[in-house]
Amino acid sequence: MVFGLAILLAVLIGIGAPIIAVVGLVLAVKARRNLQHLHLRLDHLEAELRAARRPGDLAAEPGAARAPASEQPTEASLPPAEPEAPKPTSVPPIPASAPQPAPPRAGFEEKLGSRWAVWVGGVALALGGIFLVRYSIEQNLLSPGTRVALGGLFALVLIGAGEWMRRRQRSFGLPGIPSANVPSILTAAGTCTAFASAYAAYALYDLTGPATTFVLLGAIAVLTMVASTLHGPTLAALGLVGAMGSPLLVSSNDPQPWALVIYLAFVVLPAYGVARLRLWRWLAVAAASGALAWTLPIFFVDKAYTLPTMVHLVLQAGLAAFFLGVDPYRHVPDEEARTDRAASAVLAAFAVAGIIVTSSVVTGDGRPVFVAALALVLLATGFRAAPVASATASAALLAAGALLVWPLASDIGDAPENLFYQSGDVFAVRPHALSTYLILAALLPAVIAGASLLRLAVSRGLRLPVAAWYAAAASVGPLLALVAAYWRVTNFEHSLSFALVAGVLGLAFVLASQWLMRRSGNGAVRLGLGATASAALGALALGLTFALDKGMLTVAFALGALGTAWISARTAIPALRYAVGAIGVIILGRLIWDPTIVGGNPGPVLFNWLLWGYGVPALSFLAASRLLERAGRDWTVRLAESLGIAFAAFLIFFEIRHALRAGDPLAATTDLLEIGLVATESLVFAIVLTRLDIRRSDPVYRWGSLIFRTLSLALCAGGLLLVANPVLTEEEIRGGTLFNDLIPAYLVPAVLAAGLALIERRARPPSYSLSSAALSLLLFSAYMGLAIRRVAAGPQLALWKGFSQGEQWSYSLALLLVGILLLGLGFAFNSRPARLVSAIYLVLAVLKVFIVDLANLEGVMRALSFIWLGLVLIGIGLVYQRLLARRPSDAAIPS
């Protein structure tokens, strides 16, 4: 008995100690404020006394200075008296108002004592109440009813203290000195304790039933809402955080998910009410975010909690949709509607959470009902309020995402598997409850698209950024749903059934386009018209893909981009121009994912899937850029043209590798011929783009020519001259003695580099033309030397085979011929650098003849070497003499 009384006394002291601490804190704060108030009053009175004193009153003061007697005027010296004029009656001056003392700045001591201590104290009180209840549970000190009663009593004491402080606050408030809102913090701490006590009474001890719990939680919620309107945002914020965190602190070995769902619903209701009453937008967003954050903890705790999770998500989505989207904008006309990013982000997060819940293998038969309910909530919100029009796109995203992550059924009778988790080897790609899946895939996207089109049609002056959400939900949503269902049911295999569905969908889009054409011609309707027309082309392309082969998906998207560009040119809808670029990026990503188009050997040389997968997109986007250019050359035109050029370059590149690598474009090997052909491709693209840039200056042509030019320099200098040089690699040269791999690898790039140098000479800086000319000369010289080596040494050009006398004499002859050729080009094009380079070659020929040939050649070869050298040098001398002799006469000719 004595032990029990001692325990009870300890508990009462534990409860009373925080109350005494609060009372002491309140009295200390009050005394400090009263003292500061007296100091301010004294300063105010002293200022009034100083202002009341006048400068004329100084003469009447005892210490005023008087003139000496010698300076006092005498009666004789005074002028004759004049009649005294009557003095005008003057109005006494109004005393100036006393200057107000500057408000004192709060120092560290004031902040520590009046703000931080109160904030920390309020949080400590809330946690103390919760931990006190938790301690009593762990030690089994009191009965459940007593624990709940003491918690409620502590909550009432805190709320009463807060209300008392609020009513007495005006009597000792100090203007200019910021302090923490003590009444709000005390009331918030009491609210948290009251929420925790009521929740524990229902979920932990079964002291109250569901009906009683509804009443208690509703009363606490209403009290919190009313108190927040009186105490300001501090109570609202702390009360919401405490209410959201109470289930984490008050735990149980037997959790009740339904109780938590009910609790969260009653917690957010007063938060939404206060946000609506006081126009605290942040509070509504925070309440929706907090309720959404509880979805995943409920979902992942136990598989049996799937149904409560679905109910919670639909309920909270409905509340968030009403208080964030419908209610705030019910009187906003379409003309003034602008996208609410915060509300749109919250509703999109609910859609993503719905997709995650749908992917669970234990969701069961309630999955289609849950997806439909959540999608309809989002759709209704976007339909009703234009500022949250993105909710319709979120509904379309939810429908497509749910079809994509729908669990799969196994052949061997195991539990259904998820798309991203497949435990068995024997696996059938069929969604669980296939009939329900197909019904949902057919109805839900159609309802979302129809409602979005109807909203566009009845709109009055919607802005294009807002109308774009409805257009996307009506056009892109059904296409994404169709692709997701096709993937899950057929695993991208041929399916005439899905091809027929795609044809029906395309026909529906055509009918929708005709219906919109009969409506008013505002911007929103025209945007919907363009979107539905583009979607019809996209559905047709998907139908062809489903019926033909999976490699045709790229072709279908490319043709869809071309059709979109054609529609954009006829309707002048800016959004469709951006759609062309978006489709191009999608195709580029798909080709990066699978460069071979079909995931293996593309087929025979030249006429294969590479020709379709890269050639059709190249032609489509080049044609699309010409169609879009009719309305102006903007970044969308440049993007489409750049994509067309890139697809054409990839086509040639992969065709080269496919032909040389035995049908494997992704082989990890390469050789001299491949590098030479790729260098040839780069030089051809550089020449074409440079000519286009000269004809019409444009960043696409300028940067494209620079990229291909740099690539060709790297391939030739690093690949042909160093890495793949057959003299260094000892690789055999395929082909005959004269016509072999050296021609496409060295001679053709040399000729193209020379042509590029001639073109750049007229439109590029001199360094461009000189570098291209130097590349051409190096490649041509390499070809001459390697061709001589091929004739003399055979297919393998290794240095260890040695050099014959005929081969050495041929090198001397080649140096002379190259020097003569450069000299002729220098005279023909009046190019001094070409003549100087020719001199270098001639000097090299002289050195070789007099040093190498003299030592290594014998007989006729030595004689012929010197004879040829002499004849060439004499001929060059004669040419220069003729030119020098003609200069004076040419100069004398009048211009």
Side-chain angles (χ1 to χ4, degrees):
M1 183 68 180
V2 176
F3 180 69
L5 292 176
I7 292 176
L8 180 60
L9 180 61
V11 173
L12 292 177
I13 292 174
I15 296 175
I19 299 175
I20 295 173
V22 172
V23 174
L25 178 63
V26 171
L27 293 178
V29 172
K30 180 177 179 180
R32 183 177 180 83
R33 289 188 175 183
N34 286 337
L35 181 61
Q36 293 178 347
H37 183 67
L38 290 176
H39 282 298
L40 289 178
R41 290 293 302 272
L42 289 175
D43 293 340
H44 183 70
L45 291 175
E46 290 179 359
E48 288 182 352
L49 289 175
R50 285 195 299 269
R53 298 168 65 184
R54 296 289 179 266
D57 297 339
L58 294 175
E61 293 183 0
R66 301 180 61 89
S70 60
E71 296 179 6
Q72 296 288 338
T74 60
E75 186 176 351
S77 62
L78 290 175
E82 295 180 359
E84 199 173 285
K87 295 182 179 181
T89 60
S90 60
V91 180
I94 301 175
S97 60
Q100 297 293 332
R105 297 182 61 183
F108 176 77
E109 181 183 1
E110 286 78 4
K111 292 181 179 179
L112 182 64
S114 63
R115 300 174 67 181
W116 298 345
V118 180
W119 282 89
V120 177
V123 175
L125 286 174
L127 294 177
I130 296 174
F131 285 132
L132 185 61
V133 175
R134 184 172 184 174
Y135 174 77
S136 65
I137 295 172
E138 294 174 351
Q139 301 297 326
N140 198 19
L141 300 179
L142 302 172
S143 63
T146 307
R147 298 168 190 167
V148 175
L150 290 177
L153 178 62
F154 184 60
L156 290 177
V157 169
L158 291 176
I159 294 174
E163 181 62 20
W164 179 76
M165 286 286 294
R166 186 189 68 81
R167 296 186 180 184
R168 299 290 302 274
Q169 191 176 15
R170 295 182 181 179
S171 62
F172 52 83
L174 300 179
I177 300 181
S179 60
N181 197 338
V182 179
S184 299
I185 295 174
L186 292 176
T187 307
T191 302
C192 295
T193 307
F195 270 120
S197 301
Y199 178 70
Y202 169 70
L204 301 181
Y205 308 122
D206 293 329
L207 297 178
T208 57
T212 306
T213 305
F214 288 162
V215 175
L216 286 176
L217 293 177
I220 296 173
V222 172
L223 177 62
T224 304
M225 181 178 63
V226 175
S228 299
T229 58
L230 297 175
H231 291 271
T234 304
L235 175 62
L238 292 181
L240 180 62
V241 171
M244 288 290 179
S246 294
L248 295 176
L249 299 177
V250 183
S251 60
S252 173
N253 294 328
D254 186 19
Q256 300 292 329
W258 285 110
L260 182 58
V261 172
I262 297 170
Y263 172 80
L264 292 174
F266 276 89
V267 161
V268 298
L269 277 175
Y272 286 134
V274 171
R276 179 68 182 89
L277 184 64
R278 297 296 300 271
L279 301 180
W280 291 339
R281 183 78 171 165
W282 61 268
L283 182 60
V285 174
S289 302
L292 180 62
W294 270 104
T295 303
L296 296 183
I298 301 174
F299 179 60
F300 286 113
V301 167
D302 195 333
K303 293 182 178 180
Y305 295 170
T306 306
L307 182 58
T309 303
M310 292 190 292
V311 174
H312 165 75
L313 198 58
V314 174
L315 179 61
Q316 293 295 339
L319 293 175
F322 178 78
F323 287 102
L324 289 177
V326 177
D327 184 62
Y329 301 108
R330 63 183 186 276
H331 298 306
V332 175
D334 289 347
E335 297 84 355
E336 302 176 5
R338 289 178 172 82
T339 301
D340 187 337
R341 296 183 179 179
S344 300
V346 170
L347 296 178
F350 274 102
V352 174
I355 295 174
I356 296 174
V357 173
T358 305
S359 66
S360 174
V361 297
V362 296
T363 304
D365 297 334
R367 184 183 294 106
V369 178
F370 163 70
V371 173
L374 185 58
L376 291 178
V377 167
L378 297 174
L379 178 62
T381 305
F383 189 91
R384 177 62 181 84
V388 287
S390 62
T392 57
S394 298
L397 175 65
L398 172 62
L403 295 175
L404 182 63
V405 302
W406 195 286
L408 302 175
S410 175
D411 275 345
I412 56 179
D414 294 337
E417 299 179 357
N418 188 273
L419 176 64
F420 305 105
Y421 175 74
Q422 303 171 6
S423 59
D425 294 332
V426 181
F427 187 72
V429 186
R430 291 292 184 272
H432 184 69
L434 182 59
S435 300
T436 305
Y437 178 88
L438 294 176
I439 292 173
L440 184 69
L443 294 181
L444 186 57
V447 171
I448 295 173
S452 302
L453 284 177
L454 179 62
R455 185 64 176 85
L456 275 177
V458 301
S459 63
R460 294 184 298 273
L462 271 179
R463 298 174 182 266
L464 288 182
V466 177
W469 292 110
Y470 296 118
S475 57
V476 180
L479 295 178
L480 291 179
L482 179 60
V483 172
Y486 170 69
W487 179 11
R488 300 308 305 282
V489 175
T490 67
N491 196 23
F492 288 136
E493 296 297 333
H494 296 272
S495 175
L496 295 178
S497 301
F498 274 94
L500 179 62
V501 172
V504 172
L505 180 61
L507 179 60
F509 279 127
V510 170
L511 296 176
S513 301
Q514 293 179 351
W515 178 66
L516 288 175
M517 290 179 64
R518 296 191 293 267
R519 310 292 299 181
S520 59
N522 56 50
V525 174
R526 293 176 59 203
L527 180 61
L529 173 62
T532 52
S534 301
L537 294 174
L540 178 61
L542 289 177
L544 295 175
T545 303
F546 299 157
L548 299 176
D549 195 276
K550 57 186 178 183
M552 291 297 294
L553 182 61
T554 305
V555 177
F557 274 114
L559 294 176
L562 179 59
T564 303
W566 179 75
I567 296 173
S568 174
R570 295 180 64 86
T571 59
I573 298 176
L576 295 181
R577 302 171 67 88
Y578 309 144
V580 175
I583 295 174
V585 174
I586 293 174
I587 296 176
L588 184 61
R590 186 255 184 271
L591 294 177
I592 292 174
W593 176 52
D594 184 11
T596 63
I597 308 298
V598 291
N601 191 341
V605 178
L606 190 58
F607 296 101
N608 47 45
W609 274 108
L610 295 173
L611 186 61
W612 288 98
Y614 289 95
V616 173
L619 294 177
S620 297
F621 279 96
L622 289 176
S625 66
R626 294 297 173 263
L627 291 173
L628 296 176
E629 196 174 8
R630 296 176 181 176
R633 189 171 179 83
D634 56 0
W635 68 269
T636 57
V637 177
R638 295 188 176 96
L639 177 61
E641 194 168 19
S642 301
L643 289 171
I645 296 172
F647 291 143
F650 283 132
L651 170 63
I652 299 175
F653 172 74
F654 283 114
E655 286 284 7
I656 293 173
R657 288 192 57 83
H658 174 263
L660 298 179
R661 300 276 80 82
D664 185 9
L666 302 181
T669 60
T670 186
D671 58 9
L672 175 68
L673 180 59
E674 179 182 336
I675 296 177
L677 291 177
V678 175
T680 300
E681 174 196 358
S682 301
L683 288 168
V684 170
F685 274 93
I687 291 173
V688 172
L689 293 177
T690 302
R691 289 186 62 86
L692 290 175
D693 189 39
I694 294 174
R695 182 180 303 174
R696 182 180 60 181
S697 179
D698 190 84
V700 173
Y701 307 140
R702 188 177 309 113
W703 285 100
S705 62
L706 180 60
I707 291 172
F708 283 109
R709 182 180 182 278
T710 305
L711 181 61
S712 63
L713 289 175
L715 289 172
C716 295
L720 297 176
L721 300 179
L722 295 177
V723 177
N725 193 323
V727 175
L728 303 177
T729 62
E730 300 184 1
E731 177 185 350
E732 291 189 1
I733 303 300
R734 291 172 294 186
T737 303
L738 296 178
F739 299 98
N740 47 49
D741 290 350
L742 297 177
I743 294 177
Y746 289 95
L747 182 58
V748 175
V751 174
L752 293 175
L756 179 62
L758 291 177
I759 296 174
E760 290 176 335
R761 187 185 179 194
R762 295 175 296 173
R764 292 285 190 266
S767 59
Y768 282 57
S769 178
L770 290 176
S771 61
S772 298
L775 177 63
S776 174
L777 182 60
L778 289 175
L779 291 176
F780 184 73
S781 302
Y783 171 73
M784 293 287 290
L786 293 175
I788 294 172
R789 183 65 177 169
R790 171 66 180 83
V791 174
Q796 193 172 17
L797 311 184
L799 296 177
W800 54 266
K801 288 186 175 183
F803 300 90
S804 63
Q805 291 190 11
E807 182 180 354
Q808 291 189 7
W809 180 79
S810 299
Y811 291 141
S812 302
L813 181 60
L815 288 174
L816 290 174
L817 292 178
V818 172
I820 294 173
L821 177 63
L822 289 174
L823 183 62
L825 292 175
F827 285 131
F829 293 98
N830 194 22
S831 174
R832 188 169 182 269
R835 296 195 296 270
L836 293 177
V837 174
S838 71
I840 295 175
Y841 271 84
L842 294 175
V843 170
L844 291 175
V846 171
L847 293 175
K848 183 180 181 300
V849 169
F850 279 91
I851 297 176
V852 179
D853 294 354
L854 184 62
N856 296 325
L857 298 182
E858 296 177 355
V860 179
M861 289 298 177
R862 179 188 296 177
L864 289 176
S865 179
F866 278 87
I867 291 172
W868 274 108
L869 178 63
L871 292 176
V872 169
L873 293 178
I874 292 173
I876 292 174
L878 291 175
V879 171
Y880 267 99
Q881 289 177 6
R882 284 178 174 272
L883 291 176
L884 292 175
R886 291 175 58 185
R887 277 186 182 177
S889 60
D890 292 340
I893 298 175
S895 56

